[in-house]
């Protein structure tokens, strides 16, 4: 196929090796963990991971009252555990952006909203744009969207990418995290392709999962995504962040993702401008390990 016949999306993908084998990826991740995981099991790393958390509440039962209390906990934490630093963001549904914005007192905590038809991304593009715009108007400083997985899997890269581009235009200089829903993509090859197309279309971060579908984040998906981020950076000079989310239930899970980011992307990515963890349950677990006693603060 000549360049003239290729779509711009196929041309973008052709610069990268997307012909990955799942078994090889799994083997490489296993080897990486065997060699490097234990050295990152330190208090210092855990404290850093706490500062990378997007503290998340995305429940059907969320209410103005529950989100207010959730936000007040972050304010209270800043007073009681100042030496720990804060979480990176509070992540909520868009209709709660205003309550978080009005309640949050900690300056360096972002307000992240899932938007654009989260978690399925199955609605009109106009609705996605309106929802994203309204969340930003109400105080969101970051937006997490989901790619149109159906379009991607059916090879309609144009529809998927156009939508991501349009939403990035709405977000302007606000961080836009693009969720790939890796559990639905099934293969390492698909995860690599979706990663590249999302970055090509303007993603500031690529994120594994919504947390609403199994499997959610896996080290294998993270490894493929981080490899894609590194290759994209070498090709374009643009640094894109990485966020695993969904199914992060142990401190060891967090350490695995830290290890992947450190080894694949390097020290430059080890800050909460380029690395986040989407979770609610991990905050207490990491806090407990850092402080050496069980703490159920959040």
């Amino acid at each position: 196929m000549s360049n003239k016949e290729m779509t711009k999306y196929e041309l973008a993908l052709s610069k990268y090796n997307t012909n990955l084998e799942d078994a090889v990826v799994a083997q490489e991740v296993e080897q990486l963990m065997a060699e490097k995981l234990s050295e990152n099991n330190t208090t210092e790393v855990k404290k850093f991971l706490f500062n990378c958390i997007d503290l998340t509440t995305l429940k059907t039962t969320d209410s103005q009252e529950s989100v207010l209390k959730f936000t007040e906990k972050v304010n209270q934490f800043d007073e009681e555990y100042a030496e720990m630093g804060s979480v990176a963001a509070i992540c909520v549904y868009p209709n709660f952006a205003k309550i978080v914005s009005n309640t949050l007192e900690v300056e360096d905590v972002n307000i992240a909203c899932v938007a654009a038809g989260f978690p399925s991304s199955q609605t009109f593009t106009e609705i996605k744009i309106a929802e994203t715009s309204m969340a930003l108007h109400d105080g969101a400083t970051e937006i997490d969207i989901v790619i149109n997985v159906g379009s991607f899997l059916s090879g309609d890269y144009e529809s998927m990418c156009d939508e991501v581009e349009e939403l990035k235009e709405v977000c302007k200089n606000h961080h836009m995290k693009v969720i790939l829903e890796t559990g639905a993509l099934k293969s390492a090859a698909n995860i690599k392709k979706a990663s590249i197309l999302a970055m090509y279309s303007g993603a500031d971060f690529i994120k594994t999962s919504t947390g609403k579908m199994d499997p959610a984040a896996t080290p294998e998906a993270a490894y493929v995504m981080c490899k894609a981020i590194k290759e994209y950076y070498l090709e374009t000079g643009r640094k894109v962040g990485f966020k695993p989310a969904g199914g992060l239930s142990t401190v060891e899970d967090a350490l695995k993702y830290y290890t992947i980011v450190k080894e694949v992307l390097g020290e430059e990515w080890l800050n909460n401008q380029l690395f986040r963890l989407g979770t609610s349950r991990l905050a207490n677990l990491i806090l407990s390990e850092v402080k050496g006693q069980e703490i159920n603060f959040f």
Side-chain angles (χ1 to χ4, degrees):
M1 192 187 272
S2 73
N3 283 358
K4 282 178 183 172
E5 291 169 342
M6 274 189 177
T7 68
K8 61 180 181 177
Y9 307 108
E10 289 162 341
L11 190 60
L13 289 173
S14 72
K15 296 174 182 176
Y16 305 89
N17 174 26
T18 57
N19 190 19
L20 306 182
E21 288 183 37
D22 294 359
V24 174
V25 169
Q27 196 176 4
E28 287 176 8
V29 171
E30 193 179 336
Q31 190 177 345
L32 183 61
M33 292 307 145
E35 290 173 6
K36 301 289 184 180
L37 180 62
S38 59
E39 72 188 46
N40 296 320
N41 190 0
T42 68
T43 302
E44 193 184 349
V45 168
K46 288 169 193 171
K47 198 172 168 185
F48 165 75
L49 288 168
F50 184 86
N51 302 138
C52 294
I53 290 175
D54 281 2
L55 196 67
T56 304
T57 182
L58 296 171
K59 299 197 287 281
T60 304
T61 52
D62 286 342
S63 66
Q64 295 283 323
E65 188 186 5
S66 71
V67 172
L68 174 71
K69 284 181 180 170
F70 190 74
T71 308
E72 282 178 337
K73 277 283 186 190
V74 174
N75 293 339
Q76 192 189 336
F77 184 83
D78 190 53
E79 289 170 21
E80 292 185 27
Y81 292 92
E83 76 287 351
M84 280 290 294
S86 302
V87 293
I90 294 175
C91 183
V92 294
Y93 281 114
N95 47 313
F96 297 117
K98 186 168 274 182
I99 191 99
V100 178
S101 180
N102 290 341
T103 310
L104 184 62
E105 293 164 6
V106 191
E107 273 184 25
D108 54 353
V109 176
N110 286 286
I111 301 167
C113 283
V114 294
F118 178 95
S120 68
S121 195
Q122 297 288 17
T123 189
F124 304 100
T125 301
E126 294 83 353
I127 300 282
K128 295 181 181 185
I129 288 167
E131 189 179 42
T132 301
S133 181
M134 288 167 80
L136 291 165
H137 179 266
D138 276 0
T141 58
E142 300 182 337
I143 296 291
D144 291 31
I145 67 159
V146 188
I147 64 166
N148 189 318
V149 177
S151 293
F152 172 80
L153 289 174
S154 57
D156 183 4
Y157 299 151
E158 189 173 5
S159 292
M160 174 206 139
C161 292
D162 280 355
E163 203 168 69
V164 174
E165 280 177 29
E166 282 186 68
L167 290 165
K168 179 55 191 168
E169 216 168 282
V170 176
C171 291
K172 295 186 168 65
N173 60 340
H174 295 285
H175 267 152
M176 185 177 77
K177 307 188 201 99
V178 177
I179 304 165
L180 307 182
E181 199 66 291
T182 51
L185 298 181
K186 305 292 188 200
S187 70
N190 277 341
I191 293 168
K192 181 81 174 275
K193 285 177 191 169
S195 297
I196 290 157
L197 291 173
M199 292 187 285
Y200 176 78
S201 305
D204 298 298
F205 264 79
I206 51 175
K207 174 176 168 184
T208 57
S209 322
T210 59
K212 305 294 183 189
M213 181 178 174
D214 286 327
T218 64
E220 290 75 23
Y223 183 75
V224 173
M225 289 168 72
C226 287
K227 286 274 198 187
I229 290 169
K230 184 66 179 274
E231 288 172 29
Y232 186 79
Y233 169 64
L234 293 173
E235 179 72 33
T236 67
R238 190 165 80 84
K239 282 182 183 168
V240 174
F242 171 65
K243 177 179 172 181
L248 277 67
S249 54
T250 67
V251 176
E252 189 182 29
D253 288 338
L255 290 171
K256 284 178 180 175
Y257 294 115
Y258 174 90
T259 302
I260 290 166
V261 170
K262 183 182 172 187
E263 295 302 325
V264 176
L265 291 169
E267 302 279 346
E268 288 175 76
W269 264 262
L270 292 179
N271 59 75
N272 68 8
Q273 295 302 301
L274 289 167
F275 180 40
R276 297 287 179 83
L277 299 162
T279 183
S280 53
R281 65 188 98 170
L282 261 187
N284 286 328
L285 295 173
I286 292 177
L287 184 58
S288 299
E289 290 215 5
V290 169
K291 293 294 178 188
Q293 63 188 83
E294 194 180 334
I295 300 172
N296 285 309
F297 188 90
F298 294 100

